[in-house]
Amino acid sequence: KKNEVYIDVLESVNLLLSSTGNILRNEVTGQVQMNTKLTGMPECKFGLNDKLVIEKESTSQRKPGVEIDDCTFHRCVRLGKFDADRTITFIPPDGEFELMRYRVTDNINLPFRIIPAVQEEQGQTKVSINLKVIANFSDKLFATHVAIKIPVPKNTAKAKIKNSFGRAKYEPEQQAIVWRVKRFPGKAECMLAADVDLMPTVRPKAWSRPPINVEFQVPMFTASGVHVRFLRVYDKSGYHTNRWVRYITKAGGYQIRI
């Protein structure tokens, strides 16, 4: 049997931005999924760019690590070792398991910056929406499954929409203009402008202006900056292990108030 370890670092990034652009909530929750196919029962040692570990080893050239909080581990991990010196040591079960979960609340790289301008016209017959979306990750990467849901009032009749790429349309059942982009290149900027016509209502009610909701996935990117530094397999026979690491960041609750 081949000796292989597959490591998937999966992150959800949560953001709530006020209508003036202030960050009200921002955190990343992450999990490390493993699939191990190893001969025997070797002990493994796993290392992330954990700030507390890197500071101990500190040589001045090193990039600073990430502050990793609220770690919880699979039962195969030796908690005593982690509590003593933050090393993650374990004898992995065969096959798929979740090695650990963590949370990061500092220095988060937000994959998308969204700048909305939403104006309700006097007489409550129209709403005009302008939206700028900036992909804040490397231009070597792409986001996939991007969907930006821009709420519109309940009494929307129709919307005239112009957007620089992807597909955008008014979806009445979502009470929103939904803008979908299959592949959104890193560092790209794009714009959407919409003129929304409202139907007259008997008793005009103020529109509650729910937040814009964003969905996305960015492969080979972590919003927290966490990355795998090493996986060491200590086996008596000293066989070679192939290691495969993948990263993916997706939107948790990613909301921008308007």
Side-chain angles (χ1 to χ4, degrees):
K1 110 173 177 181
K2 278 206 192 93
N3 292 299
E4 295 180 321
V5 179
Y6 296 87
I7 303 168
D8 281 347
V9 180
L10 309 169
E11 290 197 340
S12 279
V13 54
N14 298 301
L15 172 72
L16 178 59
L17 215 57
S18 78
S19 55
T20 53
N22 294 328
I23 291 177
L24 302 177
R25 196 188 76 185
N26 188 14
E27 63 162 29
V28 168
T29 54
Q31 55 193 122
V32 179
Q33 296 275 10
M34 275 197 174
N35 190 353
T36 53
K37 298 169 181 180
L38 297 171
T39 309
M41 301 276 287
E43 184 168 83
C44 297
K45 207 169 176 183
F46 179 72
L48 296 170
N49 55 335
D50 177 347
K51 189 173 177 191
L52 295 177
V53 174
I54 287 175
E55 278 170 358
K56 283 207 299 266
E57 303 173 356
S58 179
T59 52
S60 56
Q61 288 83 31
R62 284 259 166 86
K63 279 194 184 141
V66 173
E67 268 185 64
I68 301 173
D69 305 318
D70 299 346
C71 294
T72 56
F73 295 99
H74 187 273
R75 60 180 181 277
C76 67
V77 174
R78 298 189 182 177
L79 291 178
K81 296 268 305 155
F82 182 77
D83 292 341
D85 58 9
R86 282 185 86 89
T87 54
I88 300 171
T89 316
F90 57 101
I91 294 171
D94 216 25
E96 291 182 28
F97 66 101
E98 180 182 275
L99 177 70
M100 65 180 288
R101 291 188 169 221
Y102 60 86
R103 204 162 68 97
V104 173
T105 52
D106 266 1
N107 301 320
I108 291 167
N109 313 308
L110 291 171
F112 284 99
R113 199 164 151 231
I114 293 181
I115 306 159
V118 177
Q119 277 174 323
E120 297 175 67
E121 300 203 2
Q122 291 309 311
Q124 299 184 316
T125 57
K126 278 186 182 333
V127 173
S128 70
I129 297 169
N130 280 287
L131 196 66
K132 186 177 184 177
V133 180
I134 302 161
N136 270 335
F137 43 89
S138 152
D139 56 12
K140 295 184 176 64
L141 303 177
F142 280 90
T144 61
H145 303 91
V146 178
I148 300 167
K149 293 181 184 165
I150 308 146
V152 293
K154 277 196 176 76
N155 57 323
T156 292
K158 59 179 202 289
K160 203 166 94 213
I161 307 165
K162 290 206 285 279
N163 48 302
S164 42
F165 54 74
R167 295 170 63 177
K169 66 180 208 291
Y170 166 52
E171 299 188 5
E173 67 285 358
Q174 305 251 11
Q175 282 179 30
I177 289 169
V178 184
W179 184 9
R180 297 175 201 277
V181 183
K182 284 206 178 88
R183 274 167 71 85
F184 199 120
K187 295 284 173 266
E189 278 189 24
C190 65
M191 307 286 290
L192 176 140
D195 288 318
V196 179
D197 289 337
L198 306 181
M199 289 180 271
T201 50
V202 182
R203 292 194 197 83
K205 265 201 351 228
W207 177 37
S208 64
R209 296 173 80 113
I212 292 171
N213 252 306
V214 191
E215 293 167 21
F216 54 79
Q217 290 188 1
V218 191
M220 297 322 283
F221 171 86
T222 56
S224 67
V226 161
H227 65 250
V228 176
R229 289 172 68 209
F230 59 79
L231 174 76
R232 302 193 184 112
V233 178
Y234 298 99
D235 179 72
K236 305 280 190 296
S237 65
Y239 57 71
H240 176 71
T241 304
N242 287 317
R243 302 161 184 76
W244 314 90
V245 184
R246 291 188 306 187
Y247 299 93
I248 191 157
T249 289
K250 64 180 177 52
Y254 205 90
Q255 298 189 322
I256 295 91
R257 290 187 178 159
I258 56 177

